[in-house]
Structures are given as structure tokens and as C-alpha cells.
Amino acid sequence: MTSRSRRSSLFAALPLLAAAALPLTAASAADLKSYDSSKPSFWAHPPPDWFLGDETDAQKGLAPPVGPATPTPAAELQNDLKLIKLPPGFKIEIYASGIPEARQMAWGANGTLFVGSFNATNVYAVTDEEGKRSVKTILKGLNMPTGIAYRDGALYVIAINKLLRYDNAEASLDKMPEPVVVYDDMPPYVAHGWKYLVTDKNGWVYIPFGPPFNIGIPPTSVSQIRHVDLKTGLAETVALGVRNSVGGAIDPRTGDYWFSENARDWLSDDTPSDKLNHVTRLGEHFGYPYCHQGDIPDPKFAMGHKCSEFTPPVVNLGAHVAPLGMKFYTGSQFPAEYQNNIFIAEHGSWNRHTYQGGRIERVIVDPDGKNAKQEVFASGWITGQRDYFGRPDDILEAPDGSLLVSDDWAGAIYRISYSK
Amino acid sequence: MRRTILLLAAIASLPAGFALAAADVAAGQEKARTCVGCHGETGVSPNPGIPSLAGQQDQFIQWQLVFFRSGRRPNPLMVPIVAGLTDEDVRNLGAYYHSLPYNTTILDSKPDAALAAKGKAIAAQHGCANCHTDTFRGERAAAAIADQREDYLVKALTDYRSAARPSVGVAAMTEAAAGLTDDEIVAVAHYLATFEPPRE
């Protein structure tokens, strides 16, 4: 109830007569807040409480931190990397720097590394000529092009509500072609509207749709994951009851889709936990907004639902760790026990008094989601109670079996490699 | 070349995680010679519609320069002026303006207690202090807004409301301003432009 203190005082200011005349059920409904998504204005300006939630005075100031305006200079970043802790035999180095707000990465068939960005509006290409890497901005002015994918010669970019295809991309780095819109049946809001793309061998692309607020009853078109047939643009609902997912991967053992999910904010520093989920049948419900981390009914929005109605997470990753991009490891460079393990880039906290996450997590799990174990693989990006020198946001395996990690805070990509 | 080697050696001997004091205030001051005509000799603006920059948050200044440089904040005066700035110039300018003494006098506003009280209530309702702090001097990328020019504050809030300028913090300002009426903007701007921190 402490989190309601501010609200209570607001209600106290209402004309007493009106408050007294309300039947109990109407008062509870008002307490739940309702969002009218039937008008265009909702989609232009969704409620701002996705970051300014039901915070108490004790939580004041826990706003999303803003990173440096310019990418961290390479010499400084080199020095920062001394802080990173890895298991024996592994090392981390800068793969490329000077990439403002670097997000999802994808390889072109001829070795071009494509990189999306958060607010920078850019898509980059990192090319390597005999070990000398250069970074080129190939697309500008896109609306949060966080998610990218490469398939059959084309670069796919998702910019909030448009899935765009750039044909013959690797041969067109100097002048990208006009894009073809593959799919745009998506709402235009920015809040939790940035996305991540995962393609499978059948030519589907998996796209998450976050709700435009922290917690609430979502409009029916969001809080879900769809997959879209890249050839026809036909879409199906893959998962329901999903809050903010900005990462996923196909299990090479089964072809199943797995995804990371950021849990609601403003409940407390230590709950609820962020999740790793596994989809085993189309349309299963993962609990949002009724149930969190598999076992916490939402204090306001459970509305009689029980957690047992929903698919539980494979593993709870911790509160406010912010799991984003993830990949199954299929390379031969790392020791054999890493085969088919999941690496998850954790972006780290904002809505917590002491940040956690800001690291790479390793999850070892059976193809059916059983016997999950997790451990920290790489850590050290958090430099103080509430400070970062970098924030990992995506993972990609390189052809030699090393692991690339993108960082949208330092504006860089790292390479983690192993040798005996 | 020798300087580079020395520099790299110096960097290598630093403790890990130590943020290099890369920014050069003097170099920033040199670069800022173009700015004084509009933003004022001491960074306190005498010009309507032009913000004071003295004592502004370093990171906020840097972000605005980056926004102008990329054209995402499409101000016809600023875009060509900052077009040629390097990342290093951006960091130096942020450090220079942050180093100048903050203006605490009321600029070009006639204090109106009733209007300020209305603005104060609106600022509380919208949680302005959550990012801009209780003194409204800002923190990190959240701008210092206390005792800024009133006409400029009206312009800034109006621009955020219409998304004519981008916001740091994942559109925090765009959304904070989205629900404000013209009258509310005038009141908040007046409250901040005439802001007096509570005495200890």
C-alpha cells in the first residue's frame, strides 16, 4: 500500500460528495486506471507512465539514465575494458568503436557486419579489409531502427512500425536502395515500440510488440509476439501476455523460438524478475499484466487471475537486469560445454537503487526448457551504484566462433574470444 | 607520433574505469567564440528566444550539439554552425559551458506570484524535479532550467510538445510536455524563470 500514498492524497482532493457517492466497484476501477486506446490520440501520445510509473518518494529520481552524447574514444574504452571479468581462457577486446548507440547486429553473406541503433536513427556497416575495420553510416533518419536482420541478400530493418527490406544490401553500402515495406500493421508509438528481429529457416521473422506503458491492460494488438512471412507479409500471433521483449533466438536443436522479457517497473528493487521464455505452441500466454516471474500476481492487475493459468519462464534472470539480445552458441572456438548454451546481453537497470545486470549471462538448458542453470559469463560494465561505462545490448557469433557484443552506451562492439 | 605513444602509455597506466579528463575547457572556449554573439559573452543570454548556457549540464550541451549536427534538431541557425564539429569539439564545448558561473538573476521576467504558484503546481504534477532535481539545476543529461529565459522556456516546451525537437531519455520530454496546454506552459515557464531555491 505504500506505493499508493501519492495516489491516495490525490483522491483526497476530489470533491467529497462525488467520492462518497461512488459505489465500491467503480472506485476500484478508477484505481486500476484505464487507457482508452480507441482514439488516435492514444497512439500518438501513449501514457507517459511507462517510465514515470507509480513511483513513491523513495523511488524518486530512478529515471532511465542517458548515455554519453558521443561514443567513448577508443583509448578510453580500451582502459575501461580492464574492468571486465571473464572465465579463464577468455579475453575481450574492442572490435569496432565510434558507432553511436549500437544495437542489434547481423552478418551479411560476404562478411559485412550490419548494426542498428537506438535514438541515433542510423544503420551502420562495419567492413573488414585485411584486419582493418571501418564503420560507415549507410542509413540515416529512421525512427529507432533497433532491430535488423539479413537474409537472401537483403537487409531488413524494423523502425517502430515499418519492416523495411533493402535489396542487394552488401553491394550497395555507398548508396542504399529505396526500401520495400514488407509489413506495417503495427502501432506508431515509440514507448516500448522499438523492436528486435529474429528470422527462422522457414522465412518467418519474429517481431515483439511491447505495451506503451509500464503496466496496464494492453490494447489487443500489443503485448505479444508475432511472426511474419517475409515473402507474403502474412502474420500470426506467436505469444501473448508479453511485456517488453527486445531479444530472442531460434534454438538450433529444435527450431523453437525463445525470448528475453523485461518485467514491470516500480514494484520494488528485487521483484519482479526479468525472464527467459520458451514458446512451445502458437499463442501461449506468458502472464503480463496479470502475473510476473511465474509466481507474483500483479497487486493491481491480477484481477482474480492465478499464475498457474500462464506459461512460466524457463528461468528468472533477476530484477531490473534488462535482458535484451540473445543467441544460442553454435561455434567451435569455445570449450565443448558451451555448445547450444544461450548468451544473453543484459542492458542493466534504471529502475533500481543499485544497478544490476550490465553483463553477459550464460544459460545452460535442455531443448525442452528443463534443467536450466545460469551463471554470469562477463561482467564489469557497471562502475558505481548507478553508473555505467557501457551497456551490452546484443550478441552475435562471429564466423570464427568468437562472440561479438554491441554496446549502445559506449557506442562500440566488443569481441570475446577463447584460447587454451 | 611520439606524443601519441606517450599519450597511450599515460592512458595505459591509469586505473581501469577512470573516466579520462579528455575534455579541454580552453579549447572549448576557443570554439565558443562563434557562440557569444547570440548566447552572450558570459554564456548568459541577453537575446529573446536564445537560451543561457552558463553552468548548463555538460552532457545536456553535448547532446544538443549532437542533435543539431545530425539535423535531428533542425534549427536553421544552429545546424550550419555546428555541422563541422568533431566529437572532441562537442566534449570540449560541453565542458566549457558547464564551467561558466550559473546565472541566478531573473532575466527579462516580471515576477507574478500567482502565475508562479500555478506553475509550481504543474511542475509537481508532471514530476519535473524527478529528472531536473529539486533545485532545477539539472543532472547529467537533464538540463538546468532554473532562471533560464522565460521566452526560451516557453519555446522549448512548445517544441517538445509538438516533437519539433528530440528529447534525451527515450522521449521523456516529448511525453512530459505532450499533455500541457498553452496556459500551463506559460505558467511552468514563469515559475522556472523566476525560480528561487528554498533557503536553508
Side-chain angles (χ1 to χ4, degrees):
Chain A
M1 288 306 279
T2 49
S3 68
R4 302 260 276 278
S5 57
R6 255 172 50 157
R7 182 147 314 219
S8 310
S9 60
L10 278 176
F11 275 105
L14 285 172
L16 272 177
L17 213 115
L22 283 171
L24 188 65
T25 47
S28 328
D31 206 20
L32 277 176
K33 287 190 279 189
S34 75
Y35 300 116
D36 180 3
S37 62
S38 64
K39 297 185 177 65
S41 58
F42 173 87
W43 300 103
H45 290 295
D49 67 357
W50 59 295
F51 69 93
L52 291 175
D54 298 335
E55 73 275 21
T56 61
D57 283 347
Q59 291 170 321
K60 188 175 164 186
L62 294 185
V66 178
T70 57
T72 307
E76 188 178 329
L77 192 54
Q78 191 70 51
N79 192 53
D80 290 338
L81 284 184
K82 291 181 203 162
L83 288 170
I84 301 301
K85 290 191 179 66
L86 286 158
F90 289 90
K91 69 164 187 177
I92 187 165
E93 65 202 302
I94 299 172
Y95 181 81
S97 64
I99 311 176
E101 302 181 66
R103 294 285 290 208
Q104 193 175 1
M105 302 175 284
W107 288 111
N110 297 324
T112 305
L113 180 69
F114 294 101
V115 187
S117 71
F118 198 69
N119 264 324
T121 80
N122 301 330
V123 175
Y124 312 96
V126 183
T127 50
D128 189 326
E129 273 181 46
E130 290 166 15
K132 192 178 177 303
R133 268 169 226 123
S134 49
V135 178
K136 183 196 286 280
T137 303
I138 57 167
L139 296 169
K140 283 183 185 169
L142 292 167
N143 191 10
M144 304 195 84
T146 45
I148 63 164
Y150 180 92
R151 193 180 174 88
D152 299 333
L155 174 69
Y156 291 86
V157 178
I158 192 148
I160 301 286
N161 59 342
K162 286 189 168 49
L163 177 61
L164 305 167
R165 189 185 79 221
Y166 297 86
D167 289 320
N168 199 20
E170 275 187 292
S172 316
L173 299 181
D174 289 326
K175 190 179 186 311
M176 290 291 277
E178 283 302 305
V180 176
V181 178
V182 178
Y183 183 71
D184 62 359
D185 183 13
M186 297 181 261
Y189 61 81
V190 166
H192 291 156
W194 53 87
K195 297 176 170 71
Y196 190 86
L197 295 181
V198 176
T199 56
D200 72 6
K201 64 177 175 19
N202 300 320
W204 293 98
V205 62
Y206 290 73
I207 308 176
F209 292 75
F213 40 65
N214 171 36
I215 184 89
I217 305 297
T220 52
S221 59
V222 302
S223 288
Q224 60 184 247
I225 292 168
R226 302 177 201 168
H227 63 187
V228 173
D229 183 346
L230 288 171
K231 285 217 166 56
T232 61
L234 288 175
E236 286 181 328
T237 306
V238 173
L240 292 167
V242 178
R243 190 175 172 275
N244 176 33
S245 172
V246 205
I250 302 292
D251 187 341
R253 298 168 294 186
T254 58
D256 289 352
Y257 183 69
W258 297 56
F259 65 96
S260 60
E261 183 186 0
N262 291 264
R264 66 158 294 181
D265 294 313
W266 303 116
L267 204 56
S268 77
D269 276 5
D270 294 319
T271 59
S273 175
D274 294 331
K275 304 192 286 183
L276 172 66
N277 297 305
H278 174 203
V279 182
T280 54
R281 58 180 172 81
L282 282 186
E284 61 191 305
H285 199 296
F286 288 83
Y288 178 86
Y290 315 109
C291 172
H292 310 293
Q293 67 168 53
D295 58 6
I296 299 183
D298 190 85
K300 280 189 197 171
F301 289 93
M303 299 182 296
H305 287 282
K306 293 190 171 61
C307 283
S308 57
E309 295 168 43
F310 309 108
T311 305
V314 168
V315 70
N316 280 322
L317 296 164
H320 306 286
V321 298
L324 302 184
M326 54 178 271
K327 288 289 182 298
F328 287 83
Y329 185 76
T330 59
S332 52
Q333 185 186 97
F334 289 8
E337 61 266 28
Y338 283 85
Q339 200 60 214
N340 296 320
N341 289 179
I342 303 170
F343 286 106
I344 306 174
E346 292 183 350
H347 205 218
S349 313
W350 63 267
N351 190 235
R352 191 174 197 275
H353 287 89
T354 302
Y355 286 176
Q356 60 182 6
R359 64 192 175 197
I360 312 292
E361 197 74 356
R362 173 190 181 196
V363 176
I364 305 150
V365 59
D366 294 348
D368 58 4
K370 296 218 166 71
N371 301 313
K373 283 183 293 186
Q374 60 175 319
E375 61 183 47
V376 176
F377 176 68
S379 63
W381 280 274
I382 295 175
T383 51
Q385 190 187 4
R386 269 184 256 165
D387 218 343
Y388 297 102
F389 82 75
R391 298 182 77 181
D393 64 73
D394 195 30
I395 302 271
L396 186 66
E397 196 179 301
D400 68 355
S402 60
L403 217 56
L404 300 187
V405 177
S406 57
D407 176 337
D408 62 355
W409 184 277
I413 292 169
Y414 313 110
R415 175 177 181 263
I416 298 176
S417 57
Y418 177 81
S419 61
K420 271 175 212 150
Chain B
M1 189 63 196
R2 199 159 145 239
R3 275 180 63 184
T4 313
I5 291 168
L6 283 173
L7 182 66
L8 286 175
I11 288 165
S13 64
L14 286 168
F18 178 83
L20 294 178
D24 180 339
V25 170
Q29 182 171 18
E30 182 63 26
K31 273 283 163 198
R33 281 164 68 173
T34 329
C35 316
V36 297
C38 294
H39 290 284
E41 203 62 53
T42 59
V44 179
S45 165
N47 297 314
I50 310 275
S52 296
L53 303 177
Q56 184 52 277
Q57 292 297 331
D58 179 350
Q59 215 186 337
F60 177 79
I61 297 265
Q62 291 190 43
W63 270 109
Q64 300 315 306
L65 291 170
V66 166
F67 285 152
F68 287 130
R69 188 176 63 178
S70 68
R72 288 164 62 203
R73 189 175 167 189
N75 180 300
L77 271 176
M78 285 301 294
V79 168
I81 290 172
V82 306
L85 295 183
T86 63
D87 283 359
E88 200 180 348
D89 295 334
V90 167
R91 290 188 280 265
N92 293 342
L93 281 163
Y96 168 63
Y97 273 110
H98 183 65
S99 76
L100 295 178
Y102 196 82
N103 165 60
T104 52
T105 58
I106 295 169
L107 301 169
D108 211 30
S109 292
K110 235 186 265 160
D112 173 338
L115 189 58
K118 184 183 168 196
K120 183 178 182 178
I122 294 162
Q125 187 195 339
H126 288 263
C128 301
N130 283 18
C131 297
H132 294 282
T133 76
D134 288 334
T135 62
F136 295 107
R137 294 281 191 96
E139 191 175 52
R140 303 189 183 196
I145 48 180
D147 304 307
Q148 181 56 274
R149 291 187 65 93
E150 186 167 342
D151 49 19
Y152 180 72
L153 289 168
V154 170
K155 175 178 158 34
L157 285 167
T158 309
D159 286 351
Y160 279 126
R161 183 177 62 179
S162 66
R165 64 180 281 187
S167 167
V168 295
V170 205
M173 275 312 298
T174 317
E175 295 187 9
L180 294 174
T181 64
D182 288 352
D183 286 351
E184 287 174 328
I185 285 179
V186 165
V188 173
H190 186 76
Y191 167 58
L192 294 170
T194 58
F195 184 77
E196 282 183 57
R199 292 186 199 289
E200 294 285 317

